[in-house]
Each structure stands twice: as C-alpha cells, then as structure tokens.
Amino acid sequence: MMEKRTISLKGIDQLKLLGIHDEHLHLIESTFNSQIVIRGEDIILSGNAADIRMVERIFNELLFIVNRKGQLDRQEVETIVELVRTDKREGLVEVDKNKEMILNGKKGIIRPKTKGQKIYYSAVLQNDIVFVIGPAGTGKTYLAVAMALAQLRDKQISRIVLARPAIEAGESLGFLPGDLMEKIDPYLRPLTDALFDILPSDQLQQYIERKIIEIIPLAYMRGRTLNDAFVILDEAQNTSSMQMKMFLTRLGVQSKAIITGDITQIDLIDGTMSGLIQIQEIIKNIEGISFVYLDKSDVVRHRLVKEIIQAYEVFRENRESQEK
C-alpha cells in the first residue's frame, strides 16, 4: 500500500537538518523504500506505507534534536535510522506534538510552559492587540519578545519596536550622570536582557544597527505610525491614561502589539491613574483585542518567587479585612 505524508519545516534551518548537499536526507532515502522531496518549508514523503511511517518517525526525532541542540551530525542520523529500522523504541525520545514551539533560541526551544502562558500565546496568534497582566516571573516580557522574533523570522512583520515608560522611581534623570541614552538605559535593560537571552549577540547588534529592532522610551513613540511592525509596551502599569492612548494609536497597517504589566507594582506618583488599569474598562468589548491574566501558578522563575507573591497576596487580603 502506497502512502504520502507531509512534515513542516517552518522555522527550521534546513541545512542543519538535511546536512551539507542533503547527505542526511540521502542516507534516510537509501535505507527505506521511499521518496523524499523538499518543497519550500515542507518535506513530502511518499512510498510504501510501512517505510513512510518509519521515515516520519526519523524526521520527528531529528527535528527534536535540531531544536534542542541547534545542530545535527551524521552519526546521530545513522543512530536514529538504525534505532527506527530495528524498532528499538527505548533509544528514542517521544516527541510531544501538542507542545507549542514559539522559537528556537540560543538556549534552546522557547514554548509556553503553563496553562496561562498557553492562553497568552493563543491570544497573540488570534488578535492584533493583546494585554497580558500578571505578577513578576510569569514570562510576560520574555514570551512577548520571543513571539515578536518568531514573526520577524517568518517575515510576518519587518521590524520590532520595544518600549517602556521611563519612570524615575524617586530619582530625577537630570541629576544622573551621562548623556540621555546612558540615563534611560537602566529603564530599558529588561528588554535588552530578554533579547540577549534569545538571540546571538552579533545578530542582535545587526538588527539594532539596521533599525530592524528598536528599543526606546515610550515618550519617543509620540507622533509615529508603526506599519508592518510588532510593538511591545513593557511595564504598562506605569503609563498614564494619555500615554496609553498615545501608544495604542501608534499602531499602523499589518502591525501587532503586546502590552504587558503588573498592576500590583505601580510606580506612578501624585495619584495618577494607571493607564493599564483604566484601559481594561474602556476597550474591553472591541473585537481583535484580548486581555490575558496570569497569576502565581504561571510563575516560571525561582520557586521562592511564587511563594513571595503568595505571601504578599495573603498580607494584602489580611490588611483589607482589617480595614473593613
């Protein structure tokens, strides 16, 4: 019985998977009664049904190795081929196809790890503007950067703009040493940290020099229209109502935006209303905009971070009950 199957190579470096001059592909093809054709970002398998099932298993294993290690050598391919051919399943890693892969960063595969993060990822795929609100350590900014880079890789957008309000937290920028960029760098550092954690430094430097990636204070966005861009506003709890409106109205054609924030850590002074709190009521019924709420169960940092958040919640609840 003849069979035909397709395997997606979207986001995969085909040279690493298939080898120089397709040597890995030829090795697999010569071992089984099958035909393997590369068509764009797909592998088309055709041939004897039993062989095709084995070839598909081999490619799933090889894709797992490439995603995990970022490389693949001929010996590994020969080992996987032999394990599958002789049906020695104990040597293989089971690939969970239901786990969403966002990006293969320099430290490995980036994917949503918690239920809330999966909802967050799904919301970004389905909406042009997503607000994600939750405590520290829930991956709000990190996943936003990863999703933006994935869309840049897939040519769905042509640039990434990352912004933060430069809240002075008790210090005046005017009294800090250095030029303007040196003064605002500490406020933008969490965004650059996320980028450095995912991209090789030389590639990131190229992107910044070519303005493919911009990292700017929120105030620098005034008057701009951002077309064909993925825009991220981080620490949005520290925006005023007017700043939030300004940011949201910068979005141009073929653009997406993620707005992240933690409404339990607002640094605004003089009783200024947080734009992130207010916006939840203003635009909650607009189609194409989604609000995602993460909580302590979505914390992916050190175990103690989750317990610290829990302790603060208990403290706040006790204080509120005493005031009533």
Side-chain angles (χ1 to χ4, degrees), residues 215-257:
I215 311 168
I216 58 174
L218 176 60
Y220 282 31
M221 294 186 67
R222 190 173 299 278
R224 299 180 65 182
T225 300
L226 300 172
N227 296 317
D228 197 27
F230 199 119
V231 192
I232 299 172
L233 174 59
D234 193 37
E235 295 289 320
Q237 75 274 9
N238 289 326
T239 61
S240 67
S241 177
M242 289 304 296
Q243 284 177 318
M244 179 62 75
K245 180 181 178 182
M246 181 272 289
F247 173 82
L248 293 174
T249 53
R250 299 308 93 202
L251 209 61
V253 178
Q254 298 296 321
S255 291
K256 293 177 76 78

Side-chain angles (χ1 to χ4, degrees), residues 87-258:
D87 200 26
K88 294 180 179 178
R89 296 175 181 270
E90 68 274 10
L92 300 175
V93 178
E94 288 297 322
V95 180
D96 185 354
K97 295 181 181 179
N98 295 320
K99 287 188 176 181
E100 303 92 338
M101 173 181 163
I102 299 174
L103 192 71
N104 188 16
K106 69 181 183 182
K107 292 186 178 180
I109 297 172
I110 300 170
R111 59 164 55 95
K113 297 179 179 178
T114 68
K115 182 179 179 181
Q117 288 185 352
K118 290 178 182 179
I119 294 171
Y120 175 19
Y121 180 44
S122 178
V124 173
L125 294 179
Q126 297 173 28
N127 297 274
D128 285 338
I129 298 178
V130 173
F131 292 82
V132 56
I133 299 170
T138 50
K140 302 183 299 294
T141 304
Y142 192 81
L143 288 182
V145 170
M147 287 186 275
L149 289 170
Q151 293 214 353
L152 180 66
R153 174 203 64 196
D154 295 340
K155 297 181 172 58
Q156 294 176 311
I157 46 97
S158 61
R159 57 178 168 159
I160 297 171
V161 179
L162 305 100
R164 258 190 164 209
I167 294 297
E168 297 175 7
E171 288 188 325
S172 171
L173 288 174
F175 290 99
L176 293 175
D179 60 22
L180 178 60
M181 290 311 296
E182 290 174 324
K183 290 176 181 180
I184 63 177
D185 180 70
Y187 304 103
L188 303 178
R189 178 62 62 183
L191 294 172
T192 57
D193 284 347
L195 286 165
F196 273 116
D197 204 48
I198 297 172
L199 286 178
S201 57
D202 55 344
Q203 185 179 8
L204 175 58
Q205 189 63 38
Q206 280 185 359
Y207 281 161
I208 292 174
E209 289 174 356
R210 294 164 56 192
K211 301 292 185 183
I212 293 174
I213 293 179
E214 283 187 82
I215 311 168
I216 58 174
L218 176 60
Y220 282 31
M221 294 186 67
R222 190 173 299 278
R224 299 180 65 182
T225 300
L226 300 172
N227 296 317
D228 197 27
F230 199 119
V231 192
I232 299 172
L233 174 59
D234 193 37
E235 295 289 320
Q237 75 274 9
N238 289 326
T239 61
S240 67
S241 177
M242 289 304 296
Q243 284 177 318
M244 179 62 75
K245 180 181 178 182
M246 181 272 289
F247 173 82
L248 293 174
T249 53
R250 299 308 93 202
L251 209 61
V253 178
Q254 298 296 321
S255 291
K256 293 177 76 78
I258 296 179

